[in-house]
Amino acid sequence: MMMILIPYLIALLFINSIVAEVTITPVPSASLTFNQNIVPSAGLPSNQYLVVENQLPLAEQTHELVKVEDIVLISQLSNSVLVKVQVDKYGVAQQVAGFQIANPNSNLHGLALSTNYPGMVWLTLEADNKLVLIDPMVVSVTDAPEVIMEIDVPSPGYGPHYIGEYGSDLWVSLKESYDVLRINYEDPTDYNIYNGLEHPIFVAQHPINEMFYSSQDTSSKIMKINPVTGESTQIDVNASAGTTPVGMISGPNGIWFTLLGSDTAGTGTFGFIDQDDNIEYYKLTTPLGSDAALLHLKFDVAYETNYKLYLLSSSIINPTALDMIIIVTFDEQWSTIINEEVIVIPTQQCKAHRLLPTEFNVFATELSSSKLLTMFSL
Ligand SMILES: *[C@@H]1O[C@H](CO)[C@@H](O)[C@H](O)[C@H]1NC(C)=O
């Protein structure tokens, strides 16, 4: 593996030293000291979780996150800064540094771990219409990440948002041109653009039928793509259940997605798509959960044995919605919810954005308050 990979990476580095356009430079003002506020969660039903909100360099919009070794990488879209946060076992920040990715208007957004290049990270530059593979240089928080590969989104596609690596392909939602892109990163002339509706946000592959699905928020529909035939179809979200599919991930037995609701109301509902495209809707029943505005979701790293799913309720479009992490436990068949726990995020109106569970904690980004929350129990 290494015998093959190393010469390949060296070759790529050499090529990119000639053609690279995306520059990465430290942001001096983004290396900061921070106050740690350990707040026992105000949630229901108990105080068994501790919540720490790690302060990040200030930005209007803090978005996605991935973790490589003990470094969490976080995208700040509004100034196109990538933040590196060195964390302890429970996700409490030890050191923070920020890096300008391309220029302040490049709109850094999507982040994904590479499988083919272990330890490397894909990112999207929404305004520059580029997909970039970086080495995050996790040996030190202050080392600037390095560009390994750059891929231009083919025209007329525009606005790469989510990115995910599936074999030799990247699947990317193109939020601004309302498309989904499949592109081979080893040969970027090999690609398909699938036309969707306003706005594709996430893309996920079904674990059983292997089709790709994309949540389209404003149109409240789900696009299904058959990459073998090139066919795409639209699936309605039942308006009686809720509206605005956003978070969408592959999970046990199918695709799981959240419904955010409207700018005035959430419905505390998430959905499951089986291998034949039957959709099952789950409505939360706790007092705070039942009208939650569900933006994102992730399964516990040990979901195969503990059947836990994390849901994120967000004030992103509805200022009256509570920002919360909701832990749902299913039965062993993944068909019935047997427990629901609500943890209210200490900073409300933070437009909570993405979740990332690890073995010892759950991270959440706070879009408008420039914070990386960690929730854990001792
Ligand atoms: C939508 O949900 C309602 C209420 O559960 C149900 O009566 C109706 O049949 C559903 N519509 C479709 C198209 O599935």
Side-chain angles (χ1 to χ4, degrees):
M1 175 70 186
M2 291 310 278
M3 301 277 285
I4 300 164
L5 185 62
I6 287 169
Y8 185 46
L9 285 178
I10 289 170
L12 286 169
L13 283 167
F14 177 69
I15 292 164
N16 277 290
S17 67
I18 300 166
V19 299
E21 292 168 39
V22 171
T23 56
I24 303 182
T25 49
V27 181
S29 60
S31 305
L32 78 169
T33 53
F34 38 83
N35 268 343
Q36 296 305 0
N37 237 345
I38 298 193
V39 185
S41 80
L44 303 175
S46 68
N47 285 336
Q48 62 179 306
Y49 296 103
L50 290 173
V51 172
V52 175
E53 294 178 297
N54 301 295
Q55 185 63 56
L56 304 175
L58 295 181
E60 265 174 53
Q61 293 189 21
T62 298
H63 282 249
E64 303 225 327
L65 74 170
V66 291
K67 186 166 183 261
V68 181
E69 296 178 21
D70 66 344
I71 304 271
V72 181
L73 302 159
I74 301 157
S75 60
Q76 295 187 315
L77 176 138
S78 45
N79 52 0
S80 204
V81 165
L82 183 73
V83 180
K84 286 173 72 173
V85 186
Q86 187 194 355
V87 294
D88 72 6
K89 176 178 172 183
Y90 296 107
V92 178
Q94 310 297 301
Q95 228 190 323
V96 177
F99 300 89
Q100 183 70 61
I101 307 293
N103 65 68
N105 301 316
S106 295
N107 289 7
L108 169 68
H109 183 270
L111 293 175
L113 299 178
S114 173
T115 306
N116 197 27
Y117 310 103
M120 307 294 135
V121 172
W122 292 103
L123 56 85
T124 63
L125 298 178
E126 238 178 74
D128 289 359
N129 220 22
K130 278 181 188 290
L131 317 174
V132 183
L133 181 70
I134 61 162
D135 179 343
M137 305 294 283
V138 293
V139 170
S140 161
V141 108
T142 54
D143 285 354
E146 289 181 356
V147 174
I148 303 288
M149 196 190 301
E150 287 181 38
I151 297 170
D152 290 326
V153 170
S155 173
Y158 186 66
H161 193 68
Y162 160 91
I163 186 167
E165 183 189 295
Y166 301 81
S168 56
D169 287 331
L170 299 170
W171 282 78
V172 181
S173 60
L174 302 177
K175 192 179 174 189
E176 303 309 325
S177 61
Y178 310 167
D179 299 312
V180 170
L181 169 70
R182 178 206 64 83
I183 190 164
N184 182 332
Y185 54 81
E186 290 169 346
D187 173 14
T189 62
D190 168 21
Y191 69 86
N192 298 96
I193 293 179
Y194 301 96
N195 299 132
L197 300 171
E198 190 175 0
H199 307 90
I201 304 296
F202 280 93
V203 183
Q205 185 177 26
H206 199 291
I208 299 172
N209 69 26
E210 298 183 345
M211 301 293 114
F212 285 80
Y213 294 75
S214 179
S215 53
Q216 299 157 115
D217 59 2
T218 308
S219 56
S220 205
K221 287 182 194 288
I222 293 164
M223 177 160 58
K224 178 190 182 186
I225 299 164
N226 182 332
V228 179
T229 63
E231 226 183 336
S232 68
T233 49
Q234 291 288 341
I235 300 170
D236 288 328
V237 168
N238 188 334
S240 310
T243 59
T244 322
V246 184
M248 175 166 276
I249 57 174
S250 181
N253 309 325
I255 296 284
W256 298 75
F257 63 96
T258 57
L259 294 178
L260 179 60
S262 71
D263 55 4
T264 54
T267 55
T269 300
F270 61 100
F272 163 75
I273 308 175
D274 76 8
Q275 65 198 86
D276 302 314
D277 297 333
N278 300 308
I279 301 184
E280 179 92 27
Y281 292 98
Y282 292 94
K283 177 148 174 79
L284 301 174
T285 55
T286 51
L288 295 181
S290 61
D291 59 1
L294 299 176
L295 182 73
H296 194 225
L297 74 175
K298 283 275 186 170
F299 287 91
D300 191 275
V301 293
Y303 72 93
E304 286 172 334
T305 51
N306 66 19
Y307 307 98
K308 283 188 195 303
L309 169 67
Y310 300 97
L311 298 161
L312 191 64
S313 173
S314 176
S315 57
I316 188 161
I317 61 165
N318 170 7
T320 67
L322 292 175
D323 293 283
M324 303 180 278
I325 297 171
I326 301 168
I327 309 172
V328 163
T329 309
F330 274 86
D331 65 350
E332 294 186 9
Q333 287 71 46
W334 293 98
S335 59
T336 307
I337 294 175
I338 57 173
N339 192 43
E340 226 181 278
E341 274 180 280
V342 178
I343 294 90
V344 176
I345 292 178
T347 303
Q348 286 298 297
Q349 308 275 297
C350 70
K351 303 185 175 182
H353 204 60
R354 296 286 185 263
L355 288 166
L356 180 64
T358 80
E359 189 181 351
F360 297 106
N361 73 313
V362 179
F363 289 108
T365 52
E366 301 181 9
L367 183 139
S368 61
S369 59
S370 309
K371 287 175 183 169
L372 171 67
L373 175 149
T374 175
M375 180 182 90
F376 54 98
S377 46
L378 297 173

